[in-house]
Amino acid sequence: MSAAASPTSDSLLRAEQVSKFYGDVLGVDRVTVSIGPGITSLVGPNGAGKTTLMNLFAGLLWPTRGQVTVLGQRPGHPELYRQLGYCASWDSFPAGVTAHGFIARYLRLHGYSPAAAASSASQALERVSLSAVARRRADAFSQGMRQRLRLAQATAHDPRVVILDEPLNGLDPLARADMAALFRAWATGGRCLLISSHILHEVDAISDRVLLLDQGYLLGAGSVPTVRGEIHRHPLQILVRCDRPAELAAHAFSLPHVIEARLAGSETAAASAEPGAPEPGAVLVKTRNPEAFFLALNQLAAESRLQIETVAPVDENLDAVYRFLLTPDTEAVHG
Amino acid sequence: MADAALPAPRSLLGPVIAVELRRQWLSPGALVVYALAALPVLAGIGIALARAFARAHGFHTFHTPPSVYSNIFEALILRTAIFFGCAWMFIRVFRSETSARSLHYAFLTPAPRAVLLWGKYFAAVIGAAVLFAASTLLALALIASQPVPAGQAAAYGGIAVLACAAYGAVFLLMGLLFRNPVIPVLAFFGWEAILLFLPPWLQHLTVLFYLHSLLPVPLLSGSIAIVTAPASTAVSILVLLAAAAGFTAISAHRAARMEIAYAKEE
């Protein structure tokens, strides 16, 4: 635990007594952390200060107090950005650009020649399986494609440190698995990935270490197995938008690890949903085994041609999990 | 990993300008400026057609003496087309990216913020200067009833370019300083508009005073105007360029400390 939070010689990202206030509002306060190679997840509930800390590392915000260094340099130093890639949480693109043009445009600002920028942009799109839509306008993409495109842009210049803010939001299960594998591949060779998430199951799947933030304070750091043990005590709620929600709800309800499945916005249990009833378009599934559910969802989509629009964890018990993790005498915080 | 062969960050000005020229001038937002630049040309076409109609029907053909063109240039091109065209374009240089939440992409590149800002400024000036200088010369050719000496035409074109540089730098800074720059723009417009009624020492604090000083043909002033001796050509050009550089340097300083906070942070 303390190894990740205290300065070490192989630190790539370091914050020392860093505080950030937005006027009177606290972003983060007196955060001291040192992050080395591998995948480190920044977890905490919404409003914990995860995005603030990432923006401080990226040089998009300046600390009110304290000091941040990335690869030994202060954020904002131009050379740093050759080795730093940041996928921010803002789901936005310059107006009117194509996927390829979007990546190539910013590679030009890294100093790539037009030809090199075009070539690297193509490779980046290939890594996230977007080559087929490279010439389509980015702002017309689905949420999952947009997310992948921003990931491609953040890593197109092959940075040594990659910071990703909620990188799996909006991705379907297959894309999540692909991205997790990609993160693992990036993390090899001494690269450092800092990934934020408020979904503990994501953290479980992809991280080497976890930093726990709450209300602007770094409460602890530790290994994933400690956190994992707690995650499985608490079911995860997943929202699935698809073309036949009633059918999906009925199927989900039959799975042994699913505790509850209901149409979103409806108090009616999915199992009792009558055929022909108006479908709100989404199903809320509560399960103790999300991986098994995602597998079953993929099978259902393949077998019955279910058109899945989005899959997003909506962990209503997350607060309870965090409360447990944040309890001062738990191993997760002090272990 | 980072490529050692890539250029130093300070030498990224060229790529920034190239990227910004496309972003700023090939976007729907630039249509407003194209329309404003077309205004003098349309006015010139109207005058040329009216003159041709009169000539064809044997009416008395009217002439536009040089001083009339000078006044048209000042009122229609400098005060209206260039002023509002530059206000629209230069305020949007940063604002369009913050409203689209895409400014952080540029800030996360090795191009220093100052280089980014100067690149954006130069791209806007290049586009505006080409557009409004062309508009000026076309309008001049259409409105003048007799061939205009090359020196005069060059002077009008040069004034248009300097106006774009000076007004552009002011509006760039306004776009960075004010959340809603409409009121500052209108206040600045009012300040420039009352130029001829300001005491001489205050006239020196307007952009228009130095642009007037460069006009090849003096303006026809009203009887209540406070006529001030124009500045010399060299002083006018230097003051306008220094003002442009000064305002842009202030903008660069501000951009260097800018934080990206499109919305409330987590």
Side-chain angles (χ1 to χ4, degrees):
Chain A
M1 292 275 156
S2 57
S6 62
T8 59
S9 58
D10 61 349
S11 304
L12 300 177
L13 296 164
R14 184 177 292 187
E16 290 177 23
Q17 289 292 308
V18 167
S19 300
K20 176 65 186 176
F21 293 88
Y22 304 99
D24 294 333
V25 179
L26 170 67
V28 292
D29 195 19
R30 285 168 288 168
V31 170
T32 296
V33 65
S34 183
I35 301 168
I39 302 179
T40 302
S41 280
L42 198 53
V43 297
N46 286 330
K50 302 186 297 293
T51 297
T52 295
L53 188 58
M54 291 186 141
N55 284 348
L56 287 167
F57 278 127
L60 298 180
L61 294 175
W62 308 112
T64 310
R65 282 195 297 269
Q67 184 175 318
V68 175
T69 56
V70 180
L71 294 164
Q73 291 178 315
R74 297 276 186 93
H77 191 285
E79 286 291 354
L80 171 65
Y81 295 107
R82 295 204 194 284
Q83 307 213 50
L84 172 67
Y86 180 34
C87 179
S89 58
W90 300 298
D91 182 24
S92 53
F93 302 98
V97 292
T98 64
H100 187 274
F102 166 58
I103 297 175
R105 170 186 291 189
Y106 294 104
L107 285 175
R108 292 280 289 123
L109 301 190
H110 276 81
Y112 287 57
S113 67
S119 168
S120 294
S122 298
Q123 289 169 19
L125 288 170
E126 196 176 333
R127 276 201 295 274
V128 297
S129 308
L130 285 178
S131 295
V133 292
R135 304 294 165 184
R136 276 177 53 190
R137 281 178 54 151
D139 50 13
F141 280 6
S142 68
Q143 191 187 357
M145 291 163 76
R146 294 161 72 94
Q147 185 76 307
R148 280 187 282 158
L149 179 57
R150 289 188 294 116
L151 285 168
Q153 191 274 333
T155 56
H157 58 291
D158 198 13
R160 192 172 161 208
V161 173
V162 182
I163 300 175
L164 308 170
D165 196 352
E166 303 278 0
L168 301 182
N169 272 5
L171 299 184
D172 60 46
L174 276 177
R176 280 171 184 273
D178 287 347
M179 284 300 115
L182 193 57
F183 298 159
R184 183 50 61 195
W186 278 338
T188 59
R191 285 190 184 86
C192 166
L193 267 76
L194 178 62
I195 296 172
S196 79
S197 178
H198 65 279
I199 308 297
L200 294 178
H201 288 276
E202 288 181 1
V203 172
D204 179 27
I206 60 180
S207 308
D208 299 319
R209 290 174 298 278
V210 172
L211 302 175
L212 194 57
L213 272 177
D214 187 47
Q215 295 180 31
Y217 295 93
L218 180 70
L219 297 184
S223 62
V224 173
T226 311
V227 180
R228 181 187 294 138
E230 302 313 321
I231 292 169
H232 288 303
R233 290 190 198 177
H234 297 271
L236 180 75
Q237 190 164 251
I238 300 164
L239 181 74
V240 183
R241 291 196 182 281
C242 63
D243 60 340
R244 304 197 301 279
E247 183 183 329
L248 171 61
H251 180 78
F253 202 69
S254 68
L255 299 172
H257 48 79
V258 171
I259 299 164
E260 184 183 350
R262 60 186 171 85
L263 297 174
S266 166
E267 296 304 317
T268 309
S272 63
E274 294 179 9
E279 295 190 351
V283 181
L284 277 167
V285 176
K286 196 182 286 184
T287 173
R288 289 192 186 280
N289 191 340
E291 288 78 15
F293 173 71
F294 289 145
L295 190 64
L297 186 61
N298 282 339
Q299 286 173 345
L300 182 65
E303 290 166 4
S304 63
R305 297 183 181 280
L306 188 71
Q307 297 290 318
I308 298 170
E309 188 183 329
T310 56
V311 181
V314 189
D315 198 343
E316 67 177 12
N317 283 325
L318 200 61
D319 284 344
V321 177
Y322 280 121
R323 272 199 299 276
F324 184 89
L325 292 171
L326 299 181
T327 303
D329 57 356
T330 61
E331 190 183 4
V333 176
H334 297 291
Chain B
M1 299 292 169
D3 186 347
L6 293 174
R10 290 196 184 282
S11 65
L12 290 172
L13 186 61
V16 173
I17 293 173
V19 165
E20 284 295 315
L21 275 173
R22 287 175 60 90
R23 188 186 74 78
Q24 293 175 14
W25 294 100
L26 297 181
S27 70
L31 290 175
V32 172
V33 190
Y34 294 139
L36 282 167
L39 269 182
V41 180
L42 293 175
I45 290 171
I47 291 171
L49 286 176
R51 187 182 293 123
F53 180 83
R55 192 177 295 129
H57 291 80
F59 298 137
H60 177 69
T61 304
F62 58 90
H63 294 282
T64 44
S67 58
V68 170
Y69 180 77
S70 203
N71 277 69
I72 291 174
F73 172 75
E74 196 264 357
L76 186 61
I77 299 180
L78 281 185
R79 285 181 192 250
T80 307
I82 292 181
F83 185 93
F84 289 106
C86 286
W88 177 263
M89 183 49 78
F90 284 81
I91 283 172
R92 284 173 48 83
V93 162
F94 272 89
R95 191 160 294 270
S96 62
E97 287 201 286
T98 50
S99 65
R101 297 184 170 207
S102 62
L103 184 59
H104 62 285
Y105 292 117
F107 279 10
L108 292 169
T109 66
R113 302 251 184 118
V115 170
L116 277 174
L117 185 127
W118 279 97
K120 286 170 176 284
Y121 170 73
F122 283 137
V125 168
I126 290 168
V130 168
L131 200 58
F132 286 112
S135 163
T136 297
L137 296 176
L138 264 173
L140 177 62
L142 290 164
I143 293 171
S145 52
Q146 293 167 341
V148 179
Q152 275 192 21
Y156 284 119
I159 293 168
V161 171
L162 285 168
C164 291
Y167 282 133
V170 174
F171 292 128
L172 182 66
L173 182 59
M174 281 185 183
L176 285 169
L177 286 179
F178 300 104
R179 189 175 293 275
N180 180 2
V182 172
I183 291 172
V185 167
L186 291 178
F188 184 44
F189 179 74
W191 175 251
E192 293 283 285
I194 60 171
L195 164 73
L196 294 176
F197 308 106
L198 290 172
W201 67 276
L202 276 179
Q203 290 192 15
H204 287 78
L205 298 180
T206 64
V207 173
L208 212 47
F209 170 77
Y210 298 99
L211 296 173
H212 282 180
S213 298
L214 293 169
L215 286 171
V217 179
L219 291 173
L220 300 169
S221 303
S223 56
I224 58 169
I226 300 172
V227 179
T228 308
S232 71
T233 300
V235 166
S236 298
I237 292 172
L238 281 176
V239 168
L240 289 168
L241 290 178
F247 281 113
T248 308
I250 296 170
S251 297
H253 179 72
R254 189 163 178 83
R257 295 302 303 167
M258 184 188 285
E259 293 191 326
I260 299 289
Y262 302 128
K264 189 183 175 185
E265 301 290 334
E266 262 195 346

